[in-house]
Amino acid sequence: MTIALPPIKSPEAHSSLQPTSWLRYFSFSLDHKVIGLQYIVCGFLFYFVGGALAGVIRTELATPISDFVSRETYNQVLTLHGTIMIFLWIVPVVNGGFGNYLIPFYVGARDMAFPRLNAVAFWMIPPAGLLLISSYFIGGAAQSGWTAYPPLSITTPAMGQIIWIVSVLLLGGSSIFGGINFIATILKFRQPGLKLLQLPMYCWAMLGTSILVVLSTPVLAGTLILLSMDIVAHTGFFNPSQGGNVVVYQHLFWFYSHPAVYIMVLPAFGLVSEILPIHARKPLFGYITMVYSILAIIVLGLVVWAHHMFTSGTPPWMRLFFTIATAFIAVPTGIKFFNWIATLWQGRIALNSAMLFSCAFILQFVFGGITGVALAQVPFDVHVHDTYFVVAHFHYIVYGGTVFVIFASIYHWYPKFTGHMANEHLGRLHLVLTVIGFNLCFGPQHWLGLNGMPRRVAEYDPQFTLMNQVSSVGALLMAISTIPFLINVIGSIWWGAKAGDNPWRALTPEWLTSSPPPVENWKGAAPLVHEPYGYGTELGVIDLKVATGSDLWRNPQ
Amino acid sequence: MTTTQPAIESAEQSNTLSTEHSSHSHAEHPDLRMFGLATFLVADGMTFAGFFAAYLTFRAVNPLPAGAIYELELLLPTINTAILIASSFTFHRASKELMKANMDACRAWLLTTALMGIAFLGGQMYEYFHLPFGLTDNLFASTFYALTGFHGLHVTLGALMILIVWAQAARPGYFTPEKHFGIAAVELYWHFVDVIWVVLFGLLYLL
Amino acid sequence: MRIPASIITLVTGMALVLAGFWAANYSNLLPESASINSPVYDELFKVLLAIGTVLLLGMTGLVVFSLVRFRRKDGDTLDGPAIEGNLSLELFWTVIPAVVVLFIGIYSYDIYDRMGGMADLNGHGAMHASEQLASVRTSGPQDQERIWGGIAPTGDSNVLPVEVTALQFAFIFHYPMQNITSGELHVPTGQMVELRMKANDVIHAFWVPQFRIKQDIIPGQTTVLSFTAKKSGDYPIVCAELCGPYHGGMRSHVVVQEPDGFDAWIEKNTPATLS
């Protein structure tokens, strides 16, 4: 005889006030997984807007004369491109997106320390972004670059600049709220028995990043408040005609904006540290050194800002100090890269999209890091400051670096987010198109800068035409590469094979639950994982399914 | 043995599933709100630090034009400073009464603190109206008004929050010696505002 | 018999260093060098390029080799060896980069000093053309004026002073000793030129790629840039700081001439005086 049991409903379905299924993603949800995906999807939407703006830039630069858009429009386009990519795409996605999704799993918690603050921080982003973009249509956007140096930012049309300031203040506030949440969750919200040095490396990366966020973002806020007073109230903080000092603005601005690049890249370093061990089936090499290098990068990152000002008005002793300090950041950063290669060495490497994007990241970031060490040297920088060499450098770091990690992370955690496997063929196509397009676009720009092309220009010396056209073709390829990516991430929700709990046979807590996870993260107790990188087969063990004859008499390692 | 199996141990965390909320049982997780507030105040402090750095740099490298008026009188601001510092002590007194569950005394000291904060603001307003320079007169003037104004906004917010918890404390059992986050939070914020003022006063009036 | 790993490493290392030397000496990535400063800069560039080539090729080789050699075979479900770290290896790749970076830092300090970047622009030892001009300057006392930044190699006492005014969107050059104002900069070979630069509106910058020098021109803050041209020709002056919509079009020329040609230009352009 069978007994009919009452149907089991998920906890959320009990409350008819909570939106369910896809509606959750448009609501003020407190669930860290929902918020994380909201950050990621919202970030990608802004990425496409920023990418379209880049398309305008590269189209203009395909010819040496200013013939595509007006010069004022071009300056608005480049300002919005930089501002959107930094504040609405990279910072939110690697911090708020992956951070919010993963950190509670890693500390063994059901959610972040402050779920409501979390939701508030996310919901500040879409209005700030829409405000910024709308400024283009209402009287014109800011046109002084994402750096907004006065006096230019005081003398260009005020409305666009003020909207830019308000938008950046909102986005900075969102970032600070997120940082507070991560620090509290990682330091104070770990489950009993879980020590700091047992946490996955991404937690350390996010802890370090959040400390930088909390210490440096408020300085930008204060600076922009002073700038807005100059524009609106006609004070003279940064207005030389009223006794002000424009170089002080530069110091204050870069005090935040240099750590900002670590805020963009450290979480990416953390994500790579999660991805490589799983797909190479080997422990992360050098856990403690990786932690120390994050701490060293944090400390050094706060004292190198004036390397953005080498040709400005700073005394020689100051330039010397900043050269040395900046060059030293290469040491802890280099350690991380050597450790990642050592993680791969002698592993059993699956050549899937996540791994391949991570390897492309390694090589491209090293390239950008080399040009970075060069730029850190004052005499070298004197020639290439404010030229396309710098543009090439930071795109290798930020795109060839962080964006490639974002793609790797999407492919890696897609099964967990959606419950389906993404398509590997589309993933590899995406990789090939992006690698070729990206390097074709930004490689030649090094040469352009060395040979005389400044940045932020719509017109240039005709001798640079061919390289600019090559670069623009690369940009077109990058645009095209989004097509297989979008088909994959959207289509695989329907066509992708079911992923199961742990398709990668990983050890970290997010893989020890269903895909996608339940609202409370795990059914039952949270797993206490002391060794998130505890991979490794003893010497001499053979997998009979793939063993060959020679394995029997030769050491497999 | 083929692959490493994840080593899972049962944790001491709650096994019960809450069906009202999407996450954990509330008996379990620590109250991190004071920690969060303290972190936020570090961030807020850094905003002021940026302003201080700008001010000090301007003083060091930007001479004021000849004839610029920038002198500040010291008597009223010193009295104001004394009032604000004293108000931190009165707030502390209010907390001690709270811990002894003397809610009436606590409320009295809270109100005193709020009134002293408002007196501080009044003193600032008086000073503003009687200063010989305006916001845009010179770089020192602009910096002065920006710094004291930003601080004044913080004091205003603080005084409002003191009044709010003063009103809430009227409800019996709302704040107890064990459970009084609202008062503790506003107290920490108020001490922060006080410390910032001491630094500000030193830099603007004494230096 | 398998070749020991140490031999392979040694040979690879030697090949990488050779590649670095080759890249540095046989690449032609920079514009022509037209000032006495440019070869100094180019030396630094070569060193950086060599080190960078070695590092990039080395890392690329390691990654590609790993992806091929340690590729997971189909159906293999084993893990790799449980190697969690190696202290001596980690020390090695901490110390070596630190030494390299320190070397680069000290070397580029030397280069910067040779370029004149360490000059104390406001000290008593500073060689300023202005000191010679006190009696002939017509536009007000600027000799006590503070210099906020710049590059000024020491040496020459025979300095040609030029006042540069940057405005949206042009450079104006004024020769105070000859009382010539021009939209182009003319300089002789072999004589140090000292540019004293002011901006009227927003931040601009003065950059001549062939001279390898650049300095921001900052409103309210006079800056100085000194150089000695060595090869006659016509080189671009590029504004290298976003200054508004026509920033891309804000360019001029520096015409470097042999001393006779330069003197002829001076004579031709000196304003006539009533005798």
Side-chain angles (χ1 to χ4, degrees):
Chain A
M1 183 174 114
T2 53
I3 304 169
L5 293 167
I8 300 169
K9 289 202 212 122
S10 75
E12 254 188 312
H14 278 290
S15 164
S16 56
L17 295 173
Q18 290 292 323
T20 52
S21 71
W22 65 271
L23 281 170
R24 281 178 301 158
Y25 295 95
F26 291 86
S27 72
F28 192 78
S29 170
L30 303 184
D31 182 345
H32 72 97
K33 301 178 288 300
V34 171
I35 295 176
L37 290 175
Q38 286 174 321
Y39 266 103
I40 292 177
V41 173
C42 182
F44 264 95
L45 291 174
F46 285 117
Y47 169 58
F48 298 140
V49 173
L53 292 166
V56 172
I57 294 174
R58 286 310 328 162
T59 307
E60 174 67 85
L61 290 176
T63 59
I65 49 176
S66 165
D67 54 1
F68 183 54
V69 294
S70 78
R71 292 180 177 83
E72 287 82 5
T73 303
Y74 184 81
N75 283 3
Q76 292 172 44
V77 165
L78 66 89
T79 302
L80 287 178
H81 168 76
T83 312
I84 290 176
M85 290 306 204
I86 293 173
F87 293 109
L88 289 161
W89 154 237
I90 303 222
V91 171
V93 169
V94 294
N95 285 272
F98 290 100
N100 278 309
Y101 198 101
L102 295 171
I103 299 287
F105 284 106
Y106 289 161
V107 301
R110 309 279 178 189
D111 208 306
M112 296 285 289
F114 307 119
R116 257 180 298 259
L117 187 67
N118 206 3
V120 166
F122 169 70
W123 282 105
M124 289 168 78
I125 293 187
L130 289 171
L131 180 67
L132 183 68
I133 294 172
S134 70
S135 69
Y136 178 81
F137 302 101
I138 312 173
Q143 40 177 300
S144 51
W146 86 276
T147 48
Y149 276 8
L152 184 64
S153 49
I154 303 178
T155 56
T156 44
M159 166 97 100
Q161 196 69 58
I162 292 292
I163 293 182
W164 181 89
I165 290 176
V166 171
S167 174
V168 173
L169 286 174
L170 283 171
L171 295 167
S174 162
S175 187
I176 293 173
F177 289 152
I180 295 174
N181 219 348
F182 289 122
I183 294 175
T185 308
I186 295 169
L187 283 183
K188 301 281 203 175
F189 215 51
R190 275 165 290 126
Q191 62 167 310
L194 185 60
K195 299 197 180 58
L196 269 176
L197 288 175
Q198 294 170 336
L199 287 173
M201 191 54 58
Y202 182 63
C203 297
W204 281 102
M206 284 307 299
L207 180 61
T209 308
S210 303
I211 292 174
L212 279 182
V213 167
V214 163
L215 290 178
S216 63
T217 318
V219 176
L220 179 71
T223 314
L224 293 182
I225 290 174
L226 293 179
L227 183 67
S228 65
M229 285 175 72
D230 272 8
I231 296 173
V232 168
H234 305 294
T235 48
F237 299 109
F238 311 123
N239 196 339
S241 59
Q242 288 176 248
N245 189 330
V246 301
V247 175
V248 171
Y249 173 89
Q250 295 180 18
H251 278 293
L252 290 171
F253 176 85
W254 288 111
F255 184 82
Y256 162 72
S257 301
H258 187 78
V261 318
Y262 298 110
I263 292 169
M264 290 190 271
V265 108
L266 274 175
F269 287 172
L271 291 169
V272 170
S273 289
E274 299 310 323
I275 294 172
L276 291 182
I278 293 175
H279 295 291
R281 308 301 309 169
K282 264 188 79 208
L284 181 67
F285 190 93
Y287 183 97
I288 297 273
T289 354
M290 292 292 248
V291 172
Y292 281 137
S293 65
I294 289 176
L295 297 175
I297 292 173
I298 303 293
V299 170
L300 285 171
L302 283 165
V303 295
V304 295
W305 73 88
H307 65 236
H308 299 269
M309 297 162 56
F310 279 150
T311 62
S312 190
T314 49
W317 61 263
M318 193 183 281
R319 288 182 238 170
L320 190 63
F321 168 78
F322 282 106
T323 290
I324 309 258
T326 309
F328 270 113
I329 296 202
V331 178
T333 317
I335 291 174
K336 296 187 89 66
F337 281 82
F338 299 134
N339 280 14
W340 286 323
I341 292 184
T343 306
L344 292 178
W345 192 262
Q346 294 193 328
R348 292 179 189 235
I349 307 174
L351 298 181
N352 53 36
S353 307
M355 170 60 73
L356 292 173
F357 266 98
S358 303
C359 290
F361 150 78
I362 289 177
L363 296 180
Q364 284 161 175
F365 190 96
V366 164
F367 192 110
I370 291 170
T371 56
V373 171
L375 282 163
Q377 314 306 313
V378 181
F380 179 85
D381 183 61
V382 164
H383 175 59
V384 293
H385 169 76
D386 233 288
T387 67
Y388 260 84
F389 189 91
V390 176
V391 176
H393 160 71
F394 66 69
H395 281 95
Y396 265 83
I397 298 283
V398 167
Y399 195 98
T402 305
V403 175
F404 268 69
V405 173
I406 292 177
F407 287 135
S409 305
I410 297 279
Y411 288 113
H412 178 70
W413 275 288
Y414 188 87
K416 182 54 55 178
F417 293 160
T418 64
H420 294 270
M421 301 299 286
N423 183 294
E424 269 301 312
H425 300 295
L426 286 174
R428 292 206 187 111
L429 179 60
H430 177 210
L431 173 81
V432 167
L433 287 174
T434 315
V435 167
I436 296 178
F438 167 76
N439 283 285
L440 211 56
C441 182
F442 294 105
Q445 293 183 0
H446 295 95
W447 182 87
L448 285 172
L450 287 170
N451 282 275
M453 182 171 175
R455 59 184 286 203
R456 296 173 165 166
V457 294
E459 53 209 314
Y460 52 81
D461 188 328
Q463 66 165 311
F464 300 134
T465 309
L466 178 62
M467 281 299 152
N468 269 294
Q469 288 176 335
V470 169
S471 179
S472 295
V473 167
L476 181 62
L477 268 176
M478 287 167 75
I480 294 174
S481 77
T482 26
I483 300 176
F485 172 72
L486 281 175
I487 295 176
N488 200 353
V489 295
I490 298 175
S492 297
I493 297 180
W494 284 279
W495 314 316
K498 273 226 174 305
D501 289 5
N502 198 349
W504 311 128
R505 294 178 291 128
L507 295 175
T508 43
E510 80 275 30
W511 297 105
L512 307 177
T513 182
S514 62
S515 304
V519 153
E520 66 274 24
N521 291 354
W522 302 274
K523 291 244 181 289
L528 183 59
V529 175
H530 289 298
E531 281 188 74
Y533 306 113
Y535 304 97
T537 305
E538 296 148 20
L539 286 177
V541 174
I542 298 173
D543 188 346
L544 288 175
K545 290 200 290 287
V546 294
T548 63
S550 61
D551 291 332
L552 295 174
W553 56 265
R554 197 159 58 109
N555 185 335
Q557 264 77 36
Chain B
M1 182 190 103
T2 50
T3 49
T4 319
Q5 296 302 317
I8 310 177
E9 298 166 24
S10 295
E12 259 77 69
Q13 265 200 354
S14 161
N15 279 317
T16 59
L17 241 48
S18 165
T19 51
E20 305 92 57
H21 299 275
S22 63
S23 49
H24 34 265
S25 143
H26 285 281
E28 278 297 326
H29 65 88
D31 186 353
L32 293 171
R33 291 177 294 174
M34 283 305 281
F35 181 85
L37 177 66
T39 315
F40 175 77
L41 290 176
V42 168
D44 206 6
M46 286 304 292
T47 318
F48 281 102
F51 287 148
F52 294 153
Y55 170 69
L56 288 169
T57 313
F58 286 143
R59 271 193 80 124
V61 301
N62 272 60
L64 289 175
I69 305 167
Y70 59 89
E71 260 115 29
L72 291 166
E73 78 145 46
L74 273 182
L75 178 61
L76 176 59
T78 309
I79 296 176
N80 246 5
T81 306
I83 293 176
L84 198 64
I85 294 179
S87 73
S88 262
F89 285 98
T90 56
F91 205 137
H92 183 65
R93 191 65 200 274
S95 273
K96 285 180 55 187
E97 298 297 341
L98 165 69
M99 294 313 281
K100 292 188 278 189
N102 298 342
M103 290 316 294
D104 288 330
C106 169
R107 294 191 74 230
W109 285 108
L110 281 178
L111 188 60
T112 313
T113 311
L115 290 172
M116 288 166 85
I118 292 170
F120 174 88
L121 287 171
Q124 278 240 285
M125 291 285 100
Y126 182 88
E127 192 194 359
Y128 276 14
F129 281 122
H130 287 80
L131 278 170
F133 52 80
L135 175 65
T136 60
D137 281 347
N138 58 60
L139 190 58
F140 177 85
S142 305
T143 323
F144 173 85
Y145 281 111
L147 263 147
T148 54
F150 197 63
H151 177 263
L153 281 172
H154 281 72
V155 174
T156 310
L157 192 65
L160 265 164
M161 292 199 296
I162 297 177
L163 289 172
I164 291 176
V165 297
W166 170 78
Q168 288 176 327
R171 288 152 63 176
Y174 193 90
F175 291 121
T176 68
E178 295 79 34
K179 186 176 79 68
H180 50 265
F181 171 69
I183 294 183
V186 178
E187 184 179 2
L188 182 61
Y189 178 84
W190 193 252
H191 291 321
F192 166 80
V193 164
D194 201 352
V195 168
I196 295 287
W197 174 255
V198 169
V199 178
L200 235 169
F201 182 75
L203 289 178
L204 279 176
Y205 290 87
L206 299 180
L207 195 61
Chain C
M1 183 190 127
R2 294 191 56 185
I3 307 174
S6 43
I7 302 277
I8 296 183
T9 315
L10 180 65
V11 171
T12 316
M14 287 163 61
L16 281 176
V17 171
L18 283 172
F21 272 123
W22 183 86
N25 286 306
Y26 291 96
S27 59
N28 187 16
L29 294 170
L30 289 166
E32 67 178 309
S33 65
S35 80
I36 61 173
N37 172 61
S38 313
V40 176
Y41 180 91
D42 294 359
E43 266 178 55
L44 175 63
F45 181 80
K46 285 197 184 117
V47 168
L48 292 170
L49 183 59
I51 297 176
T53 305
V54 170
L55 187 59
L56 184 67
L57 287 180
M59 301 286 268
T60 308
L62 283 170
V63 170
V64 170
F65 178 79
S66 301
L67 289 179
V68 171
R69 171 73 177 81
F70 305 117
R71 195 166 81 250
R72 191 189 304 175
K73 303 186 182 41
D74 285 335
D76 182 358
T77 53
L78 286 183
D79 286 355
I83 300 171
E84 303 204 331
N86 182 330
L87 189 57
S88 8
L89 193 54
E90 303 229 50
L91 272 169
F92 172 77
W93 66 48
T94 306
V95 170
I96 303 280
V99 166
V100 170
V101 152
L102 195 59
F103 159 73
I104 292 177
I106 294 176
Y107 178 61
S108 54
Y109 168 75
D110 177 54
I111 299 274
Y112 192 48
D113 197 21
R114 283 155 65 187
M115 278 171 66
M118 294 305 296
D120 177 8
L121 299 160
N122 289 293
H124 293 297
M127 300 286 294
H128 283 309
S130 60
E131 280 147 25
Q132 306 160 29
L133 301 179
S135 57
V136 300
R137 182 66 56 82
T138 53
S139 50
Q142 292 171 349
D143 314 295
Q144 257 52 176
E145 186 174 39
R146 181 192 171 130
I147 307 293
W148 291 78
I151 297 176
T154 51
D156 243 326
S157 51
N158 180 21
V159 175
L160 174 67
V162 180
E163 288 163 4
V164 181
T165 307
L167 54 148
Q168 286 168 320
F169 296 96
F171 294 100
I172 298 179
F173 303 99
H174 176 73
Y175 294 73
M177 287 175 75
Q178 297 87 348
N179 199 19
I180 296 174
T181 304
S182 164
E184 281 182 351
L185 179 63
H186 283 249
V187 299
T189 55
Q191 182 182 13
M192 184 177 292
V193 175
E194 180 189 276
L195 303 177
R196 183 177 279 251
M197 308 193 289
K198 292 181 172 17
N200 283 2
D201 36 38
V202 298
I203 306 179
H204 299 271
F206 181 96
W207 178 37
V208 180
Q210 284 75 5
F211 293 174
R212 317 279 194 269
I213 45 163
K214 175 188 292 118
Q215 174 58 44
D216 284 4
I217 310 178
I218 304 169
Q221 299 179 208
T222 309
T223 50
V224 157
L225 195 57
S226 300
F227 60 88
T228 307
K230 72 170 191 209
K231 183 167 174 219
S232 43
D234 188 332
Y235 310 108
I237 298 173
V238 181
C239 175
E241 182 62 56
L242 179 64
C243 53
Y246 285 83
H247 167 58
M250 184 165 164
R251 307 170 69 95
S252 182
H253 296 263
V254 52
V255 179
V256 178
Q257 297 168 288
E258 297 299 325
D260 316 317
F262 176 72
D263 291 336
W265 179 82
I266 292 281
E267 227 191 273
K268 201 175 108 179
N269 286 282
T270 306
T273 46
L274 292 172
S275 43

